[in-house]
Amino acid sequence: MNKLDASKYETMAEIFKAFADPTRLMILKLLSENESMCVCKIIDELKKPQPTISHHLNILKKSGLIKARKEGTWNHYYIVNPKVKNIIATMDSIINEN
């Protein structure tokens, strides 16, 4: 039997923690529907204060799910791995079946 790599599972747990918040899931949903989004647009769409959105974006960045690129004075966020989009789509389809 293979020895389990604890660091791999710690990373996996961090990713699950990043998914485990409604605001972060809404951000991921928005980003899965758009190539990238300006932080100002995310704030506008979710109707939440800028510090709240920035906090959640930071958690998503630290988990490696999203990245940002600077365009002018704004950061534009995007999903790093297309498999994240598949996870969001799968969760949507599970929820919509009920």
Side-chain angles (χ1 to χ4, degrees):
M1 183 172 191
N2 292 340
K3 184 177 179 181
L4 295 176
D5 180 2
S7 67
K8 173 182 166 183
Y9 291 95
E10 288 171 13
T11 301
M12 197 182 300
E14 287 303 313
I15 291 170
F16 275 113
K17 286 180 198 174
F19 275 110
D21 180 89
T23 300
R24 291 193 287 273
L25 287 170
M26 288 188 280
I27 291 169
L28 289 171
K29 175 68 174 170
L30 287 172
L31 294 177
S32 72
E33 294 172 344
N34 297 279
E35 192 67 29
S36 70
M37 284 186 80
C38 172
V39 67
C40 59
K41 185 71 173 159
I42 296 169
I43 291 165
D44 186 51
E45 288 283 329
L46 297 183
K47 308 284 188 257
K48 295 189 183 261
Q50 181 272 326
T52 300
I53 297 300
S54 292
H55 167 75
H56 290 293
L57 287 168
N58 200 27
I59 291 170
L60 291 168
K61 278 187 355 188
K62 284 182 180 177
S63 72
L65 295 174
I66 67 171
K67 287 188 178 178
R69 71 174 170 275
K70 193 91 163 156
E71 291 185 21
T73 58
W74 295 102
N75 282 323
H76 288 253
Y77 291 87
Y78 60 96
I79 292 176
V80 175
N81 187 323
K83 291 177 184 175
V84 173
K85 293 179 182 183
N86 295 340
I87 292 168
I88 296 299
T90 300
M91 292 304 296
D92 270 347
S93 69
I94 289 170
I95 298 302
N96 291 333
E97 286 177 4
N98 296 330

